[in-house]
Amino acid sequence: MAERNRNEQFYSKPENVLQVECVEWFRRMYPHYIIFSTNNEAVRMNVKYYEESGMYRGISDLIVVAPQGVLFIELKIEFNKLCDFQLKCQEKLQAMGYVYRAVYCLDTFKDCVMTFLAGGDVMAVPEYDKLRRRRRSEVKKQGGIVPVSDERGFKRNKRLNDIK
C-alpha cells in the first residue's frame, strides 16, 4: 500500500486502477503463468524514439502467456473504443491466430482468462460492464439477475447491482 501512495497520479485514472486489479487477480489465481503490461503511455512523449527502440503502437495493455498460448487484452473504461492503431494491431494478431480482446471490467477479464485457459472462445465472453450500463432496464425486467463466473469458473447468478 505504501508503494501506491508514491504515485497517486497513476492510481487516479480508472483504467490504471482496472489494470492493477486485473494483474493482482491473475497473479493470485495463476502464479505459474505470466502476465505483463506494456508501457503504451510512453508513446505520447516521444513517438519516434519509442518506435525506433521497439515500441509497437496499438499493442494491448496486458499480455497473458500460458501453455495454452498468448492472450492480448486491451483495457477500456466506459464507452472508450479501440483507436486505429489498436484495430490494426488486433487485425494483425488475429490473422496470426492470436486472441486480442478489449475488456471493460474485472468480471469480464476474469471470464476471458478462465475461458482462454480452458480452451474456449474468448470472443464469446459477454461484456458485463456494457450489460450493466446499456441494458439496465432490460435486466431490471428480468429481476436484476445476470450470470457471472466466480473465481473458480463456476457460473452463478448475481444481482446486477452487486457487479462492480
Side-chain angles (χ1 to χ4, degrees):
M1 191 67 172
E3 282 184 37
R4 287 189 182 180
N5 292 337
R6 284 188 223 150
N7 197 351
E8 288 297 324
Q9 187 176 11
F10 176 85
Y11 290 96
S12 66
K13 298 178 182 174
E15 191 173 298
N16 295 343
V17 173
L18 176 61
Q19 184 168 333
V20 169
E21 290 173 348
C22 291
V23 170
E24 286 176 349
W25 175 84
F26 182 89
R27 290 185 174 160
R28 189 174 63 250
M29 294 302 295
Y30 305 102
H32 300 296
Y33 296 157
I34 296 171
I35 187 170
F36 63 96
S37 64
T38 57
N39 187 8
N40 292 339
E41 302 300 319
V43 172
R44 294 183 185 138
M45 295 178 220
N46 187 345
V47 176
K48 188 162 179 63
Y49 168 77
Y50 284 104
E51 284 180 343
E52 288 174 353
S53 63
M55 187 61 145
Y56 192 84
R57 294 177 82 181
I59 202 71
S60 63
D61 293 320
L62 294 174
I63 300 172
V64 174
V65 181
Q68 293 82 345
V70 180
L71 172 64
F72 296 86
I73 298 179
E74 177 64 32
L75 300 172
K76 294 291 180 186
I77 296 296
E78 295 181 1
F79 294 106
N80 292 350
K81 295 183 179 179
L82 296 175
C83 70
D84 291 339
F85 291 113
Q86 292 167 333
L87 289 170
K88 288 176 187 174
C89 183
Q90 180 181 30
E91 288 174 13
K92 285 183 179 181
L93 289 169
Q94 288 176 341
M96 291 187 279
Y98 294 104
V99 180
Y100 186 111
R101 170 75 193 260
V103 168
Y104 289 80
C105 67
L106 181 60
D107 285 329
T108 304
F109 174 81
K110 290 176 181 181
D111 280 354
C112 283
V113 168
M114 290 186 286
T115 302
F116 176 74
L117 296 177
D121 181 11
V122 173
M123 300 309 285
V125 173
E127 184 58 67
Y128 298 112
D129 193 50
K130 287 183 180 179
L131 175 75
R132 183 177 66 225
R133 284 184 277 112
R134 292 186 180 162
R135 295 186 3 197
R136 191 167 194 89
S137 61
E138 189 177 313
V139 172
K140 281 183 181 180
K141 290 177 189 174
Q142 300 169 359
I145 305 292
V146 293
V148 177
S149 292
D150 65 9
E151 292 182 358
R152 295 167 296 178
F154 297 109
K155 289 284 183 187
R156 57 183 163 68
N157 288 332
K158 191 169 186 179
R159 293 221 168 266
L160 184 64
N161 294 336
D162 295 339
I163 299 175
K164 295 179 182 174

